[in-house]
Amino acid sequence: MLLIALGQLRRRPAAFAGLAVALLLAIATLTLFGSLFAAEVTTPASVRRASAGPGLMVIAGAFGEIAVLVTFFVVVNALGFALRQQHRELALLRTIAATPRQTRRLARAQVVTTTLLTAVPGWVAGVAAARRFLAGLQRLGAAAPEVRVPVTPLPMLVALAAVLAVGLMSSAVAARKISRIAPAAALTASSTEHGRTGAPRLLAGIGVLVGGALLLRLAATRPPEQVDKAGQAALLGSLVLLIAVALTGPFAVRVLITALGAPVRALAPGAGWLADANLRGYARRLSSAVVPVALLVGLTGTMLVMTSTAGHAANATATSVTSATDVWLRQAELTLLACFAAVSTLNTLVAATAERRREFALLRLVGARPQLLRMLTVEAVLTTVVGVLLGATVAGAASTAFSMAVTGSPMPSVPAFTCGYVVAGAALLTVPAILATGLRAAHGPAAELVGGGRD
C-alpha cells in the first residue's frame, strides 16, 4: 500500500502539493501556539506577574482558537478534494479485487505519508513563527523580556498527532463512499456526478447554519465592555456559517447559477451556454471551487469590518498598551487567515480545473476549441461572483452581530476600499488560476485524452 500511495503522490502532484502545503501550515500553526503555551508554563511566576499584558496563554488562546479551526477546515477541504480526484483510480482498484479495507488503507497511507513529509518543515516554521510572535509581544510590552520559547519537542509532537488525527478521520469519511459500494458501481460513479445533494448532508448543513446563527446572536447580545468576547463569537460564527456553506454548497451554488445563468447566456450566447450547462451539471465540482473563495472573502471581510467597527467605537476603558496589542494581534490574525484561505483557494481551483482534461479534449474534438477559452473565462467569472456573494453574505451577518454588540447599531463601519481589495484579490486568485490551469490541461493529443490514455 505504501508503494501505491507514493505512486499516487507522484501521479497527482497538483492535488497533493496543495494538501502538503495545507498540512505544513497546520503543523506550523499548532507548533506556534503550542510553543507559546510552553513558554508561558516554563516562565517563573514572578516574571509572569511582572508583565503588563494578559499573559501568553490568554493571548495565544484568543488568537489561536480561530486560526487552528480554520487550519483544520483547510486541511479537511484539501484532503477531501485530493481523495475525490482519485475516485476513478480507487474504483479501478475495486474492480481488480481490492477490498474496501484495502481502499481505506491506501487513503490512510497517503495521509500519513504526506503528513510525515511536511512535519519537519512545519516544525521549523512553527518554532520560528513563535519566536517572532513573542518578540513582537515583548516590543509592545505585552510579554516580559525574560520570556523565551523553550527548546522542547512536546509542542511539535502534539501538533503532529493532532494533524494526523484530523487527517485520518477526514480520510475515513472521504474514502467511505467509494469503499462501500460494489466495484462496477464505483467505476460508473467515478465518471458521473449525482444531480442532487443528499438529505443527510442538507440536514447537517441546516443544523450547522442554526448553530452559526446562535453564535451570532450570542455575539450581538454581548455588552460593549466585552468587545473581545463579541469579536471571538462573531468570528467563530462566521466560520461555522462557512462550514454550513460547504455542506449545502452544491444546492446553494445550483440556485445561484440558475439565477445568474439567463443574463450570462444572453451576454455570451455560445460560451455562456456552455459555461452555464457545465456549472449547473457539475454543481458539486463547482461547490469545491466556490467554498475556498467564500472562505477567503468571508473571513477576511469579517475581520476587516470588525476591526474598522471597533476602531470607530468609543472605548474609554481601553489602555494604550491594550489597544496597541489588540491592533497588532488583529493584523497578524488577518494575515494568517488570509494566507490559509488563499492556499485553499489556489489548491482547489488548480486541482479542480486540471482534472477536466478529458472534458476539454472532447470539446476540441467536436470543434469547440475557439469557445474553450471563452467558456473558461465565463466559468472563472461566475465562480468568483458566486464565491464573493456567499462570502460577503457571511461577512455581513457576522459584522452586523458584532456591530450590535459594540455600537448598538446593525450598521457596521465598512472600509469600502479595503473590502474592494479583498474582492479584487479573490478575482486575481480565481480567474488566472482557472484560465492558466485550463489552458495547460487543454494541451496534448485530444483523442488520446478522451480515450483515457493519459490523465
Short mmCIF file of all heavy atoms in Angstrom, two decimals, residues 169-239:
data_model
loop_
_atom_site.label_atom_id
_atom_site.label_comp_id
_atom_site.label_asym_id
_atom_site.label_seq_id
_atom_site.Cartn_x
_atom_site.Cartn_y
_atom_site.Cartn_z
N MET A 169 -9.18 10.95 10.30
CA MET A 169 -10.64 10.98 10.39
C MET A 169 -11.26 11.49 9.10
O MET A 169 -12.27 10.95 8.62
CB MET A 169 -11.08 11.85 11.57
CG MET A 169 -10.84 11.21 12.94
SD MET A 169 -11.58 12.15 14.30
CE MET A 169 -10.56 13.63 14.27
N SER A 170 -10.66 12.51 8.51
CA SER A 170 -11.18 13.05 7.25
C SER A 170 -11.05 12.04 6.12
O SER A 170 -11.96 11.90 5.29
CB SER A 170 -10.43 14.34 6.89
OG SER A 170 -10.55 15.30 7.91
N SER A 171 -9.92 11.34 6.07
CA SER A 171 -9.75 10.34 5.02
C SER A 171 -10.73 9.19 5.17
O SER A 171 -11.20 8.64 4.17
CB SER A 171 -8.31 9.81 5.04
OG SER A 171 -8.08 9.02 6.19
N ALA A 172 -11.05 8.84 6.41
CA ALA A 172 -12.02 7.77 6.62
C ALA A 172 -13.39 8.16 6.08
O ALA A 172 -14.08 7.35 5.45
CB ALA A 172 -12.11 7.43 8.11
N VAL A 173 -13.78 9.42 6.32
CA VAL A 173 -15.07 9.89 5.82
C VAL A 173 -15.06 9.98 4.30
O VAL A 173 -16.00 9.57 3.62
CB VAL A 173 -15.41 11.26 6.44
CG1 VAL A 173 -16.68 11.83 5.82
CG2 VAL A 173 -15.59 11.12 7.95
N ALA A 174 -13.96 10.53 3.74
CA ALA A 174 -13.90 10.72 2.29
C ALA A 174 -13.83 9.39 1.53
O ALA A 174 -14.39 9.27 0.44
CB ALA A 174 -12.69 11.58 1.93
N ALA A 175 -13.15 8.39 2.11
CA ALA A 175 -13.00 7.11 1.43
C ALA A 175 -14.16 6.16 1.70
O ALA A 175 -14.24 5.10 1.08
CB ALA A 175 -11.69 6.43 1.87
N ARG A 176 -15.03 6.53 2.58
CA ARG A 176 -16.12 5.62 2.98
C ARG A 176 -17.05 5.31 1.82
O ARG A 176 -17.43 4.15 1.60
CB ARG A 176 -16.91 6.25 4.13
CG ARG A 176 -18.07 5.38 4.64
CD ARG A 176 -18.69 6.03 5.87
NE ARG A 176 -19.81 5.26 6.36
CZ ARG A 176 -21.06 5.42 6.00
NH1 ARG A 176 -21.36 6.36 5.10
NH2 ARG A 176 -22.03 4.68 6.50
N LYS A 177 -17.39 6.33 1.02
CA LYS A 177 -18.36 6.13 -0.06
C LYS A 177 -17.84 5.16 -1.12
O LYS A 177 -18.51 4.20 -1.49
CB LYS A 177 -18.69 7.48 -0.70
CG LYS A 177 -19.67 7.36 -1.85
CD LYS A 177 -19.96 8.72 -2.46
CE LYS A 177 -20.88 8.60 -3.66
NZ LYS A 177 -21.15 9.89 -4.29
N ILE A 178 -16.60 5.39 -1.59
CA ILE A 178 -16.08 4.56 -2.67
C ILE A 178 -15.79 3.15 -2.18
O ILE A 178 -15.80 2.19 -2.94
CB ILE A 178 -14.81 5.21 -3.26
CG1 ILE A 178 -14.32 4.44 -4.50
CG2 ILE A 178 -13.70 5.29 -2.24
CD1 ILE A 178 -15.26 4.44 -5.62
N SER A 179 -15.50 2.99 -0.87
CA SER A 179 -15.14 1.67 -0.37
C SER A 179 -16.35 0.82 -0.03
O SER A 179 -16.22 -0.39 0.15
CB SER A 179 -14.26 1.81 0.88
OG SER A 179 -14.98 2.40 1.94
N ARG A 180 -17.53 1.41 0.03
CA ARG A 180 -18.72 0.66 0.45
C ARG A 180 -19.57 0.15 -0.70
O ARG A 180 -20.37 -0.77 -0.51
CB ARG A 180 -19.59 1.53 1.37
CG ARG A 180 -19.00 1.73 2.76
CD ARG A 180 -19.81 2.74 3.55
NE ARG A 180 -21.17 2.26 3.78
CZ ARG A 180 -21.54 1.57 4.86
NH1 ARG A 180 -20.65 1.27 5.79
NH2 ARG A 180 -22.79 1.17 5.02
N ILE A 181 -19.43 0.76 -1.90
CA ILE A 181 -20.29 0.35 -2.99
C ILE A 181 -19.62 -0.75 -3.82
O ILE A 181 -18.41 -0.99 -3.71
CB ILE A 181 -20.65 1.55 -3.90
CG1 ILE A 181 -19.39 2.18 -4.49
CG2 ILE A 181 -21.44 2.57 -3.12
CD1 ILE A 181 -19.69 3.35 -5.41
N ALA A 182 -20.40 -1.41 -4.67
CA ALA A 182 -19.89 -2.50 -5.49
C ALA A 182 -18.85 -1.98 -6.48
O ALA A 182 -18.91 -0.83 -6.92
CB ALA A 182 -21.04 -3.16 -6.25
N PRO A 183 -17.85 -2.82 -6.85
CA PRO A 183 -16.78 -2.35 -7.74
C PRO A 183 -17.29 -1.78 -9.06
O PRO A 183 -16.84 -0.72 -9.49
CB PRO A 183 -15.95 -3.62 -7.96
CG PRO A 183 -16.19 -4.45 -6.75
CD PRO A 183 -17.61 -4.17 -6.34
N ALA A 184 -18.22 -2.46 -9.74
CA ALA A 184 -18.72 -1.95 -11.02
C ALA A 184 -19.45 -0.63 -10.83
O ALA A 184 -19.31 0.31 -11.63
CB ALA A 184 -19.65 -2.98 -11.67
N ALA A 185 -20.23 -0.54 -9.77
CA ALA A 185 -20.94 0.71 -9.48
C ALA A 185 -19.96 1.82 -9.15
O ALA A 185 -20.18 2.98 -9.49
CB ALA A 185 -21.93 0.50 -8.33
N ALA A 186 -18.87 1.49 -8.47
CA ALA A 186 -17.87 2.50 -8.15
C ALA A 186 -17.23 3.08 -9.41
O ALA A 186 -17.01 4.29 -9.52
CB ALA A 186 -16.78 1.89 -7.26
N LEU A 187 -16.94 2.22 -10.39
CA LEU A 187 -16.35 2.71 -11.64
C LEU A 187 -17.33 3.58 -12.41
O LEU A 187 -16.96 4.60 -12.98
CB LEU A 187 -15.91 1.51 -12.50
CG LEU A 187 -15.13 1.86 -13.76
CD1 LEU A 187 -13.86 2.62 -13.40
CD2 LEU A 187 -14.79 0.61 -14.53
N THR A 188 -18.60 3.19 -12.43
CA THR A 188 -19.61 4.01 -13.10
C THR A 188 -19.78 5.35 -12.41
O THR A 188 -19.87 6.39 -13.05
CB THR A 188 -20.96 3.27 -13.12
OG1 THR A 188 -20.79 2.01 -13.78
CG2 THR A 188 -22.01 4.08 -13.85
N ALA A 189 -19.79 5.33 -11.07
CA ALA A 189 -19.99 6.57 -10.32
C ALA A 189 -18.82 7.52 -10.49
O ALA A 189 -18.97 8.73 -10.36
CB ALA A 189 -20.18 6.25 -8.83
N SER A 190 -17.63 7.00 -10.79
CA SER A 190 -16.46 7.87 -10.91
C SER A 190 -16.53 8.78 -12.12
O SER A 190 -15.83 9.78 -12.18
CB SER A 190 -15.19 7.02 -10.99
OG SER A 190 -15.13 6.33 -12.23
N SER A 191 -17.34 8.41 -13.12
CA SER A 191 -17.43 9.22 -14.34
C SER A 191 -18.66 10.10 -14.39
O SER A 191 -18.89 10.78 -15.38
CB SER A 191 -17.43 8.29 -15.57
OG SER A 191 -18.54 7.42 -15.51
N THR A 192 -19.46 10.07 -13.36
CA THR A 192 -20.66 10.89 -13.32
C THR A 192 -20.73 11.65 -12.01
O THR A 192 -19.96 11.42 -11.08
CB THR A 192 -21.93 10.00 -13.45
OG1 THR A 192 -21.95 9.07 -12.35
CG2 THR A 192 -21.92 9.25 -14.76
N GLU A 193 -21.68 12.58 -11.96
CA GLU A 193 -21.91 13.33 -10.72
C GLU A 193 -23.39 13.30 -10.42
O GLU A 193 -24.22 13.54 -11.29
CB GLU A 193 -21.43 14.77 -10.86
CG GLU A 193 -21.68 15.60 -9.60
CD GLU A 193 -21.08 17.00 -9.70
OE1 GLU A 193 -19.84 17.09 -9.72
OE2 GLU A 193 -21.84 17.96 -9.76
N HIS A 194 -23.72 12.99 -9.17
CA HIS A 194 -25.12 12.95 -8.80
C HIS A 194 -25.73 14.33 -8.86
O HIS A 194 -25.11 15.33 -8.50
CB HIS A 194 -25.27 12.39 -7.38
CG HIS A 194 -24.78 10.97 -7.25
ND1 HIS A 194 -25.41 9.92 -7.87
CD2 HIS A 194 -23.71 10.44 -6.60
CE1 HIS A 194 -24.76 8.79 -7.59
NE2 HIS A 194 -23.72 9.09 -6.83
N GLY A 195 -26.96 14.41 -9.29
CA GLY A 195 -27.58 15.70 -9.53
C GLY A 195 -28.10 16.38 -8.29
O GLY A 195 -28.35 17.57 -8.31
N ARG A 196 -28.29 15.63 -7.20
CA ARG A 196 -28.88 16.23 -6.02
C ARG A 196 -27.97 16.06 -4.81
O ARG A 196 -27.21 15.11 -4.71
CB ARG A 196 -30.24 15.58 -5.73
CG ARG A 196 -31.29 15.84 -6.80
CD ARG A 196 -32.61 15.22 -6.41
NE ARG A 196 -33.63 15.47 -7.42
CZ ARG A 196 -34.88 15.03 -7.33
NH1 ARG A 196 -35.25 14.29 -6.28
NH2 ARG A 196 -35.76 15.31 -8.28
N THR A 197 -28.10 17.02 -3.90
CA THR A 197 -27.40 16.92 -2.63
C THR A 197 -28.17 15.99 -1.72
O THR A 197 -29.39 16.10 -1.59
CB THR A 197 -27.26 18.31 -1.99
OG1 THR A 197 -26.61 19.18 -2.92
CG2 THR A 197 -26.45 18.23 -0.72
N GLY A 198 -27.48 15.06 -1.06
CA GLY A 198 -28.15 14.10 -0.20
C GLY A 198 -28.86 14.76 0.96
O GLY A 198 -28.43 15.81 1.48
N ALA A 199 -29.95 14.12 1.40
CA ALA A 199 -30.72 14.66 2.52
C ALA A 199 -29.90 14.76 3.80
O ALA A 199 -29.99 15.78 4.51
CB ALA A 199 -31.98 13.82 2.73
N PRO A 200 -29.08 13.74 4.15
CA PRO A 200 -28.28 13.89 5.38
C PRO A 200 -27.34 15.08 5.33
O PRO A 200 -27.18 15.78 6.34
CB PRO A 200 -27.50 12.56 5.42
CG PRO A 200 -28.33 11.60 4.66
CD PRO A 200 -28.94 12.40 3.55
N ARG A 201 -26.74 15.32 4.16
CA ARG A 201 -25.83 16.47 4.05
C ARG A 201 -26.59 17.78 4.18
O ARG A 201 -26.12 18.72 4.85
CB ARG A 201 -25.10 16.40 2.72
CG ARG A 201 -24.13 17.55 2.49
CD ARG A 201 -23.24 17.31 1.30
NE ARG A 201 -22.37 18.44 1.05
CZ ARG A 201 -21.32 18.42 0.24
NH1 ARG A 201 -21.03 17.31 -0.41
NH2 ARG A 201 -20.57 19.49 0.07
N LEU A 202 -27.77 17.86 3.55
CA LEU A 202 -28.57 19.08 3.68
C LEU A 202 -29.01 19.31 5.12
O LEU A 202 -28.98 20.44 5.63
CB LEU A 202 -29.79 19.00 2.76
CG LEU A 202 -29.60 19.45 1.30
CD1 LEU A 202 -30.89 19.27 0.54
CD2 LEU A 202 -29.13 20.90 1.24
N LEU A 203 -29.44 18.25 5.78
CA LEU A 203 -29.87 18.39 7.18
C LEU A 203 -28.70 18.80 8.07
O LEU A 203 -28.87 19.64 8.96
CB LEU A 203 -30.46 17.06 7.66
CG LEU A 203 -31.81 16.67 7.05
CD1 LEU A 203 -32.23 15.28 7.53
CD2 LEU A 203 -32.88 17.70 7.40
N ALA A 204 -27.53 18.22 7.81
CA ALA A 204 -26.35 18.63 8.58
C ALA A 204 -26.03 20.10 8.33
O ALA A 204 -25.70 20.85 9.26
CB ALA A 204 -25.16 17.75 8.22
N GLY A 205 -26.13 20.52 7.06
CA GLY A 205 -25.88 21.92 6.74
C GLY A 205 -26.84 22.86 7.42
O GLY A 205 -26.45 23.92 7.93
N ILE A 206 -28.12 22.46 7.47
CA ILE A 206 -29.12 23.29 8.16
C ILE A 206 -28.82 23.36 9.65
O ILE A 206 -28.93 24.43 10.28
CB ILE A 206 -30.53 22.74 7.89
CG1 ILE A 206 -30.89 22.90 6.40
CG2 ILE A 206 -31.57 23.45 8.76
CD1 ILE A 206 -32.17 22.21 6.01
N GLY A 207 -28.43 22.22 10.22
CA GLY A 207 -28.09 22.21 11.64
C GLY A 207 -26.90 23.11 11.95
O GLY A 207 -26.92 23.87 12.94
N VAL A 208 -25.87 23.05 11.12
CA VAL A 208 -24.70 23.91 11.32
C VAL A 208 -25.08 25.38 11.11
O VAL A 208 -24.58 26.27 11.82
CB VAL A 208 -23.57 23.48 10.36
CG1 VAL A 208 -22.40 24.45 10.44
CG2 VAL A 208 -23.10 22.07 10.70
N LEU A 209 -25.95 25.63 10.15
CA LEU A 209 -26.42 27.00 9.92
C LEU A 209 -27.12 27.56 11.15
O LEU A 209 -26.89 28.73 11.54
CB LEU A 209 -27.36 27.02 8.72
CG LEU A 209 -27.87 28.38 8.25
CD1 LEU A 209 -26.73 29.23 7.73
CD2 LEU A 209 -28.93 28.21 7.16
N VAL A 210 -27.94 26.75 11.79
CA VAL A 210 -28.61 27.18 13.02
C VAL A 210 -27.58 27.45 14.11
O VAL A 210 -27.68 28.44 14.85
CB VAL A 210 -29.62 26.11 13.46
CG1 VAL A 210 -30.17 26.44 14.85
CG2 VAL A 210 -30.76 26.01 12.46
N GLY A 211 -26.56 26.58 14.21
CA GLY A 211 -25.50 26.81 15.19
C GLY A 211 -24.77 28.12 14.96
O GLY A 211 -24.47 28.86 15.91
N GLY A 212 -24.48 28.43 13.69
CA GLY A 212 -23.83 29.70 13.39
C GLY A 212 -24.70 30.89 13.74
O GLY A 212 -24.21 31.91 14.26
N ALA A 213 -26.00 30.77 13.48
CA ALA A 213 -26.93 31.86 13.83
C ALA A 213 -26.97 32.08 15.35
O ALA A 213 -27.02 33.23 15.82
CB ALA A 213 -28.32 31.54 13.30
N LEU A 214 -26.93 31.00 16.11
CA LEU A 214 -26.93 31.12 17.57
C LEU A 214 -25.65 31.80 18.06
O LEU A 214 -25.69 32.62 19.01
CB LEU A 214 -27.08 29.74 18.22
CG LEU A 214 -28.45 29.07 18.03
CD1 LEU A 214 -28.44 27.67 18.63
CD2 LEU A 214 -29.55 29.91 18.68
N LEU A 215 -24.52 31.48 17.44
CA LEU A 215 -23.27 32.15 17.83
C LEU A 215 -23.32 33.64 17.52
O LEU A 215 -22.83 34.47 18.31
CB LEU A 215 -22.10 31.50 17.10
CG LEU A 215 -21.56 30.18 17.68
CD1 LEU A 215 -20.57 29.55 16.73
CD2 LEU A 215 -20.92 30.43 19.04
N LEU A 216 -23.89 34.00 16.37
CA LEU A 216 -24.01 35.41 16.04
C LEU A 216 -24.97 36.13 16.99
O LEU A 216 -24.74 37.30 17.34
CB LEU A 216 -24.47 35.58 14.59
CG LEU A 216 -23.50 35.09 13.51
CD1 LEU A 216 -24.00 35.46 12.13
CD2 LEU A 216 -22.10 35.66 13.73
N ARG A 217 -26.01 35.45 17.41
CA ARG A 217 -26.91 36.04 18.40
C ARG A 217 -26.18 36.26 19.73
O ARG A 217 -26.36 37.29 20.39
CB ARG A 217 -28.12 35.14 18.60
CG ARG A 217 -29.09 35.65 19.67
CD ARG A 217 -30.33 34.78 19.79
NE ARG A 217 -31.18 35.20 20.89
CZ ARG A 217 -32.03 36.21 20.85
NH1 ARG A 217 -32.15 36.90 19.74
NH2 ARG A 217 -32.77 36.53 21.90
N LEU A 218 -25.34 35.28 20.09
CA LEU A 218 -24.54 35.44 21.31
C LEU A 218 -23.61 36.64 21.19
O LEU A 218 -23.45 37.42 22.14
CB LEU A 218 -23.74 34.16 21.55
CG LEU A 218 -22.76 34.18 22.73
CD1 LEU A 218 -23.53 34.29 24.05
CD2 LEU A 218 -21.89 32.93 22.74
N ALA A 219 -22.99 36.81 20.01
CA ALA A 219 -22.10 37.96 19.81
C ALA A 219 -22.86 39.27 19.88
O ALA A 219 -22.39 40.25 20.47
CB ALA A 219 -21.40 37.83 18.45
N ALA A 220 -24.05 39.31 19.30
CA ALA A 220 -24.82 40.56 19.25
C ALA A 220 -25.31 41.00 20.63
O ALA A 220 -25.55 42.19 20.84
CB ALA A 220 -26.01 40.38 18.31
N THR A 221 -25.47 40.07 21.56
CA THR A 221 -26.00 40.40 22.89
C THR A 221 -24.92 40.66 23.93
O THR A 221 -25.25 40.86 25.10
CB THR A 221 -26.91 39.26 23.37
OG1 THR A 221 -26.19 38.01 23.34
CG2 THR A 221 -28.15 39.14 22.48
N ARG A 222 -23.64 40.63 23.53
CA ARG A 222 -22.57 40.94 24.48
C ARG A 222 -22.59 42.44 24.80
O ARG A 222 -22.81 43.28 23.92
CB ARG A 222 -21.20 40.59 23.91
CG ARG A 222 -20.92 39.11 23.66
CD ARG A 222 -20.94 38.29 24.93
NE ARG A 222 -22.29 37.80 25.20
CZ ARG A 222 -22.67 37.25 26.32
NH1 ARG A 222 -21.82 37.15 27.32
NH2 ARG A 222 -23.90 36.82 26.49
N PRO A 223 -22.32 42.82 26.04
CA PRO A 223 -22.24 44.25 26.38
C PRO A 223 -21.00 44.88 25.77
O PRO A 223 -20.04 44.19 25.43
CB PRO A 223 -22.16 44.24 27.93
CG PRO A 223 -21.67 42.88 28.28
CD PRO A 223 -22.18 41.95 27.23
N PRO A 224 -20.99 46.22 25.61
CA PRO A 224 -19.87 46.89 24.95
C PRO A 224 -18.52 46.63 25.62
O PRO A 224 -17.49 46.62 24.93
CB PRO A 224 -20.25 48.37 25.02
CG PRO A 224 -21.74 48.37 25.13
CD PRO A 224 -22.09 47.15 25.92
N GLU A 225 -18.50 46.44 26.94
CA GLU A 225 -17.22 46.20 27.61
C GLU A 225 -16.65 44.81 27.31
O GLU A 225 -15.50 44.53 27.64
CB GLU A 225 -17.36 46.39 29.12
CG GLU A 225 -18.38 45.49 29.79
CD GLU A 225 -19.77 46.10 29.84
OE1 GLU A 225 -20.01 47.06 29.08
OE2 GLU A 225 -20.59 45.62 30.64
N GLN A 226 -17.44 43.94 26.72
CA GLN A 226 -16.96 42.60 26.35
C GLN A 226 -16.74 42.51 24.84
O GLN A 226 -17.13 41.56 24.18
CB GLN A 226 -17.95 41.53 26.80
CG GLN A 226 -18.11 41.43 28.32
CD GLN A 226 -19.05 40.31 28.73
OE1 GLN A 226 -19.56 39.57 27.90
NE2 GLN A 226 -19.28 40.19 30.03
N VAL A 227 -16.07 43.52 24.31
CA VAL A 227 -15.89 43.60 22.86
C VAL A 227 -15.05 42.42 22.35
O VAL A 227 -15.29 41.91 21.25
CB VAL A 227 -15.25 44.96 22.48
CG1 VAL A 227 -13.89 45.14 23.15
CG2 VAL A 227 -15.11 45.09 20.97
N ASP A 228 -14.06 41.98 23.14
CA ASP A 228 -13.24 40.85 22.68
C ASP A 228 -14.06 39.57 22.57
O ASP A 228 -13.91 38.80 21.61
CB ASP A 228 -12.06 40.64 23.64
CG ASP A 228 -11.03 41.75 23.54
OD1 ASP A 228 -10.99 42.39 22.47
OD2 ASP A 228 -10.27 41.96 24.50
N LYS A 229 -14.93 39.33 23.56
CA LYS A 229 -15.77 38.14 23.51
C LYS A 229 -16.76 38.22 22.34
O LYS A 229 -17.03 37.21 21.68
CB LYS A 229 -16.52 37.97 24.83
CG LYS A 229 -15.62 37.61 26.01
CD LYS A 229 -16.43 37.37 27.27
CE LYS A 229 -15.52 36.98 28.43
NZ LYS A 229 -16.29 36.76 29.68
N ALA A 230 -17.28 39.41 22.10
CA ALA A 230 -18.18 39.58 20.96
C ALA A 230 -17.46 39.31 19.65
O ALA A 230 -17.99 38.67 18.74
CB ALA A 230 -18.77 40.99 20.96
N GLY A 231 -16.22 39.80 19.55
CA GLY A 231 -15.43 39.57 18.34
C GLY A 231 -15.13 38.10 18.11
O GLY A 231 -15.24 37.60 16.99
N GLN A 232 -14.76 37.38 19.17
CA GLN A 232 -14.47 35.95 19.03
C GLN A 232 -15.72 35.17 18.64
O GLN A 232 -15.67 34.28 17.80
CB GLN A 232 -13.90 35.40 20.34
CG GLN A 232 -12.47 35.85 20.65
CD GLN A 232 -11.48 35.42 19.59
OE1 GLN A 232 -10.96 36.23 18.84
NE2 GLN A 232 -11.22 34.13 19.51
N ALA A 233 -16.85 35.53 19.26
CA ALA A 233 -18.10 34.83 18.93
C ALA A 233 -18.52 35.11 17.50
O ALA A 233 -18.98 34.21 16.78
CB ALA A 233 -19.20 35.24 19.90
N ALA A 234 -18.35 36.35 17.05
CA ALA A 234 -18.73 36.70 15.68
C ALA A 234 -17.82 36.02 14.67
O ALA A 234 -18.28 35.51 13.64
CB ALA A 234 -18.68 38.22 15.50
N LEU A 235 -16.51 35.99 14.95
CA LEU A 235 -15.59 35.34 14.04
C LEU A 235 -15.82 33.83 13.99
O LEU A 235 -15.80 33.21 12.92
CB LEU A 235 -14.15 35.65 14.44
CG LEU A 235 -13.06 35.41 13.40
CD1 LEU A 235 -13.35 36.19 12.13
CD2 LEU A 235 -11.69 35.78 13.95
N LEU A 236 -16.05 33.24 15.16
CA LEU A 236 -16.35 31.81 15.20
C LEU A 236 -17.68 31.53 14.48
O LEU A 236 -17.80 30.53 13.76
CB LEU A 236 -16.43 31.33 16.65
CG LEU A 236 -16.68 29.83 16.86
CD1 LEU A 236 -15.59 29.00 16.20
CD2 LEU A 236 -16.76 29.50 18.35
N GLY A 237 -18.65 32.42 14.66
CA GLY A 237 -19.92 32.26 13.96
C GLY A 237 -19.76 32.33 12.46
O GLY A 237 -20.41 31.57 11.72
N SER A 238 -18.88 33.20 11.97
CA SER A 238 -18.65 33.28 10.53
C SER A 238 -18.02 32.00 10.01
O SER A 238 -18.37 31.52 8.92
CB SER A 238 -17.75 34.49 10.20
OG SER A 238 -16.44 34.30 10.69
N LEU A 239 -17.11 31.41 10.79
CA LEU A 239 -16.50 30.15 10.37
C LEU A 239 -17.53 29.02 10.33
O LEU A 239 -17.55 28.21 9.39
CB LEU A 239 -15.35 29.78 11.31
CG LEU A 239 -14.62 28.47 11.00
CD1 LEU A 239 -14.03 28.50 9.60
CD2 LEU A 239 -13.54 28.21 12.04
#
